[in-house]
């Protein structure tokens, strides 16, 4: 039977940091479900549908990655799938407390459910959806931190006409 991992989050938007975690998880698991939560404490820039579309576009050539969304509790969603584990990326010690609480609460709600943490690769330690949105909103270059398609979605959302790098003539 396929070993399936659930990678839940806001993914508002998906970054190369997230993609790196998915790719490394695929070494361990047969399939990874990138599961976008409707119910989070964060207010989102992109709709859940827009975020799913971005995830689908990023992994369009990889049938082992599934983009999905869920409402309500993560533990209930996981129970409806055949997943064996929740995956979360850890960037720094500052992430730890939040992640520790969330994993402990999820395990208290379902003692059979484990969370597997993967350390973010050094190249993406500073990358978060929140900072990406702020940089993009203020017209900064996010190339290399998010896929081009996501960069285009950000520019469209913030009504920025062109890639600043091209605009300033930095492009080779
Ligand atoms: O990327 P994020 O925003 O840090 O992800 C947080 C997420 C979506 C994993 C968390 O908010 C979540 O699981 N939401 C679903 C509702 C739920 O189960 N909440 C209890 C978690 S302790």
């Amino acid at each position: 039977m396929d070993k399936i991992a659930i990678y839940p989050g806001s993914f508002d938007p998906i970054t190369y940091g997230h993609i790196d975690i998915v790719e490394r998880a695929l070494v361990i698991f047969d399939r990874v479900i990138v599961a976008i939560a409707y119910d989070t404490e964060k207010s989102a820039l992109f709709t859940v549908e827009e975020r799913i579309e971005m995830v689908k576009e990023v992994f369009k050539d990889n049938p082992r990655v599934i983009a999905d969304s869920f409402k309500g509790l993560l533990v209930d969603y996981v129970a409806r799938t055949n997943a064996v584990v929740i995956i979360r990326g850890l960037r720094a010690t500052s992430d730890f407390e939040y992640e520790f609480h969330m994993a402990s609460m999820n395990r208290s709600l379902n003692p059979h459910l484990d969370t597997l943490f993967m350390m973010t690769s050094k190249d993406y330690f500073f990358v978060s959806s929140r900072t990406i949105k702020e940089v993009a909103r203020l017209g900064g270059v996010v190339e290399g931190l998010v896929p081009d398609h996501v960069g285009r979605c950000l520019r469209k959302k913030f009504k920025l006409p062109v890639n600043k790098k091209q605009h300033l003539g930095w492009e080779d």
Side-chain angles (χ1 to χ4, degrees):
M1 208 170 85
D2 276 359
K3 269 204 180 126
I4 304 171
I6 302 274
Y7 183 26
S10 304
F11 302 101
D12 184 43
I14 189 162
T15 69
Y16 275 131
H18 297 127
I19 294 165
D20 171 64
I21 297 288
V22 172
E23 283 170 353
R24 284 160 52 206
L26 285 172
V27 177
I28 309 170
F29 300 97
D30 299 303
R31 275 191 282 161
V32 173
I33 302 177
V34 178
I36 299 172
Y38 274 90
D39 299 297
T40 73
E41 289 174 350
K42 299 174 187 167
S43 57
L45 172 68
F46 292 100
T47 66
V48 170
E49 290 71 28
E50 287 170 331
R51 285 178 268 161
I52 289 194
E53 184 277 324
M54 284 185 269
V55 174
K56 280 191 173 154
E57 173 63 27
V58 167
F59 294 107
K60 64 175 187 280
D61 296 325
N62 194 337
R64 291 170 62 207
V65 182
I66 296 143
D68 197 10
S69 62
F70 67 99
K71 289 183 174 158
L73 285 175
L74 173 60
V75 289
D76 293 337
Y77 171 72
V78 176
R80 294 195 295 274
T81 69
N82 288 324
V84 289
V85 82
I86 294 169
I87 295 208
R88 292 284 289 174
L90 265 188
R91 272 172 310 213
T93 49
S94 52
D95 280 346
F96 179 80
E97 199 172 339
Y98 168 62
E99 294 297 338
F100 178 69
H101 278 127
M102 202 156 60
S104 305
M105 176 56 84
N106 285 333
R107 201 161 162 74
S108 153
L109 292 168
N110 180 351
H112 303 292
L113 195 55
D114 246 312
T115 303
L116 178 74
F117 292 101
M118 300 185 78
M119 299 304 296
T120 299
S121 296
K122 63 174 175 33
D123 294 346
Y124 305 119
F125 250 64
F126 62 99
V127 177
S128 72
S129 299
R130 187 176 60 80
T131 49
I132 290 286
K133 280 181 284 192
E134 180 161 339
V135 170
R137 180 170 59 84
L138 299 172
V141 175
V142 291
E143 204 176 320
L145 306 178
V146 294
D148 290 348
H149 175 69
V150 174
R152 282 193 291 277
C153 292
L154 282 162
R155 284 196 294 278
K156 197 170 158 199
K157 197 56 110 176
F158 291 124
K159 299 185 174 36
L160 297 168
V162 288
N163 183 340
K164 193 180 181 190
K165 217 170 165 183
Q166 291 166 347
H167 179 60
L168 296 176
W170 297 349
E171 209 85 284
D172 295 334

